Amino acid sequence: MTTIINSLAVPSSYRDQLYQGSSNQLTDDLSTTATLYVGNLSFFTTEEQIYELFSKCGEIKRIIMGLDRHQKTPCGFCFVEYYHRTDALDCMKYINGTKLDERIIRCDLDPGFREGRQFGRGKSGGQVRDEYRTEYDAGRGGWGHRMRMELERNREKNIKENYEAIKEIPKGADEYKSRSTNAQANSKRRMDENENEDESRKRQKENPRFRENDEEDEE
């Protein structure tokens, strides 16, 4: 039976560039897989949140969080493996395109997780898409990697042009430093004298014999 509505339970046209196999093998893997690739996640979305949402479609075998290759922190994607393919297809129908952490997430049938795919492939360690992102996205680390590099270069250039290091000591700086040092020394001396006076009064108050000795000395 034909229909004018396209099924959501089919993989997108995206192909993993590092997939090791022929196009026929990829087709076979996608036709039997129970694994989903989930993209456009917030860096702050937890594995518990993903489990709570995706378990509504079926029993989950495991969740593999995508990590920054260098920092080993979440970088916006994950793999969700179900025990049954029908659950993965239901997830494509009902969860793909919905919101999680105020972000529209993308689900796609995946030929199967292999060790190493959990790490970002960008030069900075994260996802390639974040290398070229030019808009600010708080949920994915702020500015994209290249934009951050450009902002840092501009900041350093601005500092160099407008805040050059002082090469010569300004006139009068030595005199000011000398006055400041003397003032600090005098202040410390006054504090020491006050402490000595306070200590003497305390001894006189606490020890009556000390006061008697002082009176005899005065006579």
Side-chain angles (χ1 to χ4, degrees):
M1 183 178 69
T2 60
T3 177
I4 61 174
I5 301 176
N6 294 327
S7 173
L8 296 176
V10 295
S12 69
S13 59
Y14 172 78
R15 293 293 178 268
D16 181 7
Q17 300 298 319
L18 299 183
Y19 176 80
Q20 298 178 348
S22 64
S23 58
N24 290 334
Q25 289 175 320
L26 177 61
T27 301
D28 292 339
D29 289 341
L30 291 175
S31 65
T32 58
T33 186
T35 301
L36 294 176
Y37 171 89
V38 184
N40 200 37
L41 293 172
S42 167
F43 287 3
F44 306 102
T45 299
T46 65
E47 183 175 338
E48 289 76 13
Q49 288 175 284
I50 296 170
Y51 184 89
E52 182 179 0
L53 176 62
F54 284 77
S55 62
K56 296 182 184 300
C57 290
E59 187 177 0
I60 294 175
K61 183 177 181 180
R62 64 172 176 166
I63 296 174
I64 302 100
M65 297 295 292
L67 303 175
D68 184 288
R69 188 171 65 254
H70 304 310
Q71 302 179 23
K72 302 301 184 290
T73 54
C75 65
F77 71 98
C78 74
F79 297 91
V80 178
E81 289 187 3
Y82 287 96
Y83 282 100
H84 306 290
R85 175 176 171 81
T86 54
D87 296 334
L89 297 179
D90 286 342
C91 187
M92 289 285 291
K93 293 177 183 177
Y94 304 122
I95 295 182
N96 183 29
T98 60
K99 278 190 174 183
L100 177 61
D101 261 358
E102 299 303 317
R103 301 183 68 85
I104 297 177
I105 59 175
R106 175 174 60 86
C107 304
D108 203 359
L109 291 176
D110 188 86
F113 174 77
R114 298 187 308 278
E115 186 61 33
R117 292 188 64 198
Q118 71 269 40
F119 299 118
R121 298 176 182 174
K123 293 181 180 179
S124 64
Q127 287 191 273
V128 175
R129 57 169 291 192
D130 290 318
E131 299 280 324
Y132 299 93
R133 178 165 45 80
T134 57
E135 73 279 2
Y136 185 86
D137 190 337
R140 295 184 69 88
W143 296 106
H145 177 68
R146 293 183 178 231
M147 182 60 69
R148 288 199 304 271
M149 296 289 289
E150 183 65 25
L151 291 172
E152 183 63 23
R153 283 195 294 267
N154 291 338
R155 187 182 73 85
E156 291 178 355
K157 181 179 179 181
N158 181 58
I159 291 175
K160 185 176 181 180
E161 292 177 350
N162 300 302
Y163 302 95
E164 291 187 1
I166 298 175
K167 299 178 180 178
E168 297 181 359
I169 299 176
K171 186 177 181 180
D174 290 334
E175 182 181 350
Y176 172 79
K177 181 178 180 181
S178 177
R179 290 202 306 269
S180 177
T181 302
N182 292 334
Q184 291 178 358
N186 292 334
S187 176
K188 186 177 186 304
R189 187 159 49 248
R190 286 195 298 270
M191 290 177 62
D192 292 340
E193 292 173 354
N194 292 336
E195 289 178 358
N196 291 335
E197 292 178 1
D198 292 341
E199 181 66 22
S200 178
R201 294 193 190 98
K202 183 177 179 182
R203 289 173 60 194
Q204 291 178 9
K205 184 176 181 181
E206 294 178 351
N207 192 340
R209 296 184 62 187
F210 180 80
R211 290 201 301 271
E212 292 175 1
N213 293 336
D214 284 349
E215 291 173 357
E216 292 175 358
D217 293 340
E218 290 177 359
E219 293 176 356

